Amino acid sequence: MSRVEPELLRAKLYPAIADELVPRPRLLEKLDQWRRQPLILVSAPAGYGKTTLLSVWLDTLDWPGIWLTLDEHD
């Protein structure tokens, strides 16, 4: 098994957050409504703020969350 570089591991486990955030209260409310579901799929084109939305949402929860980024090599 090959050694994973720390930068790559950090990128897969911790989302990159934009410096300037666009408030998305309606989407955060929707995520809160669905939080008891076994899986939530968030789908949108690149650059639409999926990572930022989910990162902000995970920070507001009173229970632990996990972030894992997958790509075609995983």
Side-chain angles (χ1 to χ4, degrees):
M1 186 169 179
S2 63
R3 181 176 174 266
V4 177
E5 294 298 320
E7 297 82 25
L8 179 60
L9 186 59
R10 220 178 349 267
K12 288 194 169 286
L13 297 177
Y14 303 101
I17 305 294
D19 291 333
E20 296 181 27
L21 301 179
V22 175
R24 306 276 189 202
R26 185 182 61 81
L27 294 175
L28 291 171
E29 287 176 22
K30 286 283 190 190
L31 288 170
D32 279 338
Q33 291 171 3
W34 298 330
R35 72 185 274 187
R36 299 285 182 227
Q37 300 301 315
L39 175 70
I40 299 171
L41 173 65
V42 177
S43 178
Y48 273 62
K50 299 174 299 291
T51 298
T52 303
L53 172 69
L54 292 174
S55 298
V56 168
W57 182 60
L58 286 173
D59 283 345
T60 67
L61 298 178
D62 57 354
W63 44 272
I66 296 173
W67 187 271
L68 177 61
T69 300
L70 301 175
D71 59 31
E72 65 272 6
H73 303 292
D74 294 323

